[in-house]
Amino acid sequence: MKTKTLLTIAIAFLFMSLQQTMAQNKETRILVAYFSATGTTARAAEKLANVTGGELYAIEPVRSYTSADLDWHDRQSRSSVEMNDPASRPALKGRKENIADYDVILIGYPIWWNLAPRVINTFIESHDLKGKIMVPFATSGGSTLAGSAAALKQTYPALNWKEGRLLNRVDEKNIRAWIEGW
């Protein structure tokens, strides 16, 4: 009787240890989802995917943005109109299939009016991202990431947001140090 109890306890501990080892060895699946109007954010996303081993996914609106659409000096340009309407949600060309397969979503965008473009909201609202680690990254000619990241966290508080990074100058050493902090 005593031997059976000890054996049962030993098997239970072995099983728990095996489960823990398997969980520790589980490969983290990373998706690098990005929107890029001019190619700058796409280049940053590609470098980020190379360093992290993540899968690239372009967030594409049904209608691509033209130079005239991006003219922030023109209050009637498409980007100006969208950014001045918090409810604006540009339609997407498609959805990312198998989003459940990913543990970490790196979500990238150019900063417009100190925010993520509204198409990022469309992407977030079109996918079930609960339980995912969400990490914003952005490119900008003069803004910081702080305002856009804070707005995303405020708009989607149920998501598990981690500290993001502005990636104007993408350097592998900095990316590696950043991702080790997740």
Side-chain angles (χ1 to χ4, degrees):
M1 179 74 168
K2 197 176 193 179
T3 307
K4 275 186 170 181
T5 304
L6 289 174
L7 184 58
T8 303
I9 292 171
I11 291 172
F13 277 111
L14 179 62
F15 182 72
M16 289 185 332
S17 176
L18 182 60
Q19 281 184 317
Q20 185 177 14
T21 301
M22 287 171 57
Q24 288 171 348
N25 291 335
K26 179 185 167 221
E27 187 177 317
T28 300
R29 297 272 328 249
I30 298 172
L31 177 66
V32 181
Y34 69 93
F35 164 69
S36 187
T38 64
T40 302
T41 306
R43 287 188 293 278
E46 289 166 6
K47 289 180 183 178
L48 191 52
N50 286 337
V51 172
T52 64
E55 180 183 330
L56 271 177
Y57 176 75
I59 299 169
E60 298 178 281
V62 168
R63 241 179 16 144
S64 297
Y65 290 86
T66 66
S67 294
D69 291 336
L70 299 173
D71 183 0
W72 59 277
H73 294 289
D74 178 0
R75 290 182 180 192
Q76 298 307 310
S77 73
R78 179 174 160 206
S79 60
S80 295
V81 169
E82 287 176 1
M83 295 310 292
N84 283 317
D85 178 4
S88 177
R89 298 295 184 266
L92 298 175
K93 276 189 181 177
R95 290 174 31 97
K96 173 64 178 142
E97 298 298 321
N98 303 326
I99 200 90
D101 293 347
Y102 300 93
D103 307 300
V104 176
I105 312 275
L106 297 166
I107 188 160
Y109 51 86
I111 296 176
W112 291 359
W113 291 261
N114 203 35
L115 298 170
R118 303 294 182 203
V119 71
I120 294 298
N121 298 85
T122 308
F123 175 80
I124 292 171
E125 293 168 11
S126 299
H127 295 83
D128 181 6
L129 302 176
K130 287 188 179 89
K132 309 289 180 207
I133 294 173
M134 301 294 295
V135 186
F137 70 94
T139 57
S140 175
S143 298
T144 67
L145 181 70
S148 66
L152 288 172
K153 289 176 186 179
Q154 182 179 1
T155 305
Y156 307 103
L159 299 181
N160 182 13
W161 293 100
K162 299 295 180 189
E163 183 180 344
R165 179 137 317 168
L166 192 65
L167 295 179
N168 286 338
R169 203 175 66 76
V170 181
D171 129 8
E172 187 173 318
K173 183 179 174 185
N174 288 336
I175 290 173
R176 288 194 187 282
W178 172 45
I179 63 176
E180 286 173 7
W182 301 338

